Amino acid sequence: MKKIVVAGGGVLGSQIAYQAAYCGFDVTIWLRSEGSITRTQPKLDHLKDVYFETIEKMAMPEGQTPANWARGLADFDTFDKDECLKKAENAYNGLKLELDMARAVADADLVIESMAENLDDKIEFYRKLAPHLPEKTVLVTNSSTLLPSKMAKYTGRPEKFLSLHFANSIWKNNTAEIMAQAKTEPRYFDEVMKFAEEIRMIPLPVRKEKSGYLLNSMLVPLLFSGMDLFVNGVSDPESIDKAWTLGTGAPKGPFQILDTVGLTTAHNIVKMYVKIPSFLAPYNFKGMEKMLRKYIDEGKLGMSAGEGFYKYNK
């Protein structure tokens, strides 16, 4: 695989694209509109700063600890600051943004769909994409909760379709969960596992199709529990976060994680549970949906917007 196309320039889409470019791949980000470019370019500008700052820190004593070392950027014993800075600069300069779908995927070896967690939108995207894909192209979804089997038949190549899911802060939390669906041919599963290694990820095979994969099967219930405490008036986001971070030693609480992931993504996930009858629902999903919608309507989309449950310096 040489030419990679990332469909979507959101929080994770921009990170996946930057990391692949950092590792020497030819990367294009396909976007829906000029407005999408306006939203994506600042994310790439920010990632350039993050990569540079992280690399500089890795060259200093405080950066050379397991907690601070960015495994996605370099191995500890072969780290070369100047080489890493050059790779980060080349990644930024080499990334291409494209609005024309056919042009974007014309010679793609791998297309990584990284769009919002909305099944109908993803299906519509795959239907439009299918006629433009070269025969060789492998297609993966970065969906965090939706099963690839729900989308496979719309791709036009179910044998070459599977999931490739990344954790946020990809340069540091360098895991990649690879999950096939019933019609995925094993050779393409192996190719995606290899690609994950080539962009400095630790590939984690998911051998049975599971909504939430490994990470989110554990993470989403934590986020639901935190939001449930808030919308039911039990406590406030800051106190709930402190209960988790101080009690477990974790670096972030549920609301800090929500701000990092983005409240739009959280809202899309919560919406899938709203229709569960209240006597069967383990959490107050209707209250969560209403609360998240209010934050989104106020422009409080999370860290990338400068404010979510907390305020950030943009």
Side-chain angles (χ1 to χ4, degrees):
M1 293 182 175
K2 295 180 180 179
K3 183 173 181 180
I4 312 300
V5 176
V6 179
V11 173
L12 264 174
S14 57
Q15 291 183 23
I16 296 164
Y18 205 105
Q19 180 68 22
Y22 175 84
C23 293
F25 287 86
D26 178 358
V27 183
T28 298
I29 303 176
W30 174 79
L31 299 165
R32 292 176 185 271
S33 64
E34 290 289 347
S36 298
I37 292 178
T38 303
R39 291 186 292 272
T40 299
Q41 188 59 54
K43 292 184 178 71
L44 299 176
D45 297 342
H46 175 67
L47 283 170
K48 178 184 178 183
D49 293 339
V50 169
Y51 272 58
F52 270 66
E53 290 167 6
T54 303
I55 292 164
E56 292 287 354
K57 187 174 183 179
M58 289 164 67
M60 302 174 71
E62 61 265 32
Q64 296 173 8
T65 64
N68 291 326
W69 192 261
R71 301 181 302 270
L73 300 187
D75 295 325
F76 185 81
D77 55 352
T78 57
F79 173 63
D80 183 319
K81 185 183 82 169
D82 291 338
E83 180 184 350
C84 289
L85 290 172
K86 183 178 179 181
K87 288 169 66 176
E89 181 72 35
N90 290 342
Y92 181 78
N93 292 331
L95 279 167
K96 297 177 284 293
L97 306 182
E98 179 60 69
L99 297 177
D100 187 299
M101 181 181 286
R103 190 180 304 152
V105 304
D107 192 34
D109 296 304
L110 176 67
V111 173
I112 303 172
E113 174 266 303
S114 186
M115 302 172 69
E117 288 295 272
N118 183 298
L119 181 60
D120 291 339
D121 288 350
K122 288 179 184 288
I123 288 173
E124 180 186 2
F125 165 75
Y126 289 130
R127 281 175 164 160
K128 290 181 178 178
L129 177 70
H132 302 296
L133 288 178
E135 176 62 28
K136 66 174 182 175
T137 308
V138 177
L139 180 60
V140 298
T141 177
N142 181 50
S143 172
S144 56
T145 57
L146 300 171
L147 297 176
S149 59
K150 299 290 186 182
M151 302 172 273
K153 69 179 181 180
Y154 304 103
T155 66
R157 57 192 61 223
E159 76 285 356
K160 296 185 179 76
F161 179 65
L162 60 156
S163 292
L164 173 61
H165 180 253
F166 297 88
N168 198 32
S169 300
I170 187 174
W171 61 93
K172 190 170 186 290
N173 304 324
N174 63 328
T175 61
E177 298 171 290
I178 296 93
M179 181 170 73
Q181 39 86 25
K183 294 185 178 180
T184 306
E185 291 185 7
R187 60 174 285 195
Y188 300 114
F189 183 91
D190 294 340
E191 283 186 20
V192 174
M193 288 279 288
K194 181 182 177 184
F195 168 74
E197 288 184 339
E198 290 175 340
I199 61 169
R200 299 193 57 82
M201 298 296 105
I202 298 171
L204 304 174
V206 183
R207 306 193 183 281
K208 183 177 181 181
E209 204 177 34
K210 170 71 170 68
S211 178
Y213 310 73
L214 306 180
L215 175 61
N216 283 315
S217 291
M218 298 179 280
L219 176 62
V220 170
L222 168 67
L223 303 182
F224 283 169
S225 295
M227 287 189 287
D228 193 66
L229 289 169
F230 178 38
V231 300
N232 288 330
V234 176
S235 192
D236 58 273
E238 186 175 358
S239 297
I240 295 167
D241 279 353
K242 286 181 178 178
W244 184 255
T245 58
L246 298 177
T248 66
K252 291 184 178 181
F255 292 94
Q256 292 163 317
I257 295 171
L258 285 163
D259 273 358
T260 303
V261 171
L263 272 60
T264 300
T265 295
H267 184 254
N268 286 331
I269 294 171
V270 167
K271 280 197 303 184
M272 293 189 289
Y273 295 86
V274 168
K275 293 183 179 179
I276 298 176
S278 59
F279 65 91
L280 292 176
Y283 304 106
N284 182 359
F285 290 116
K286 291 182 180 178
M288 293 182 206
E289 195 278 334
K290 183 177 179 181
M291 176 269 293
L292 288 169
R293 169 49 57 196
K294 182 176 183 294
Y295 273 77
I296 291 169
D297 289 345
E298 293 173 354
K300 299 175 182 178
L301 306 180
M303 187 181 295
S304 64
E307 185 174 2
F309 294 103
Y310 297 88
K311 290 186 178 181
Y312 305 89
N313 293 322
K314 291 188 72 175

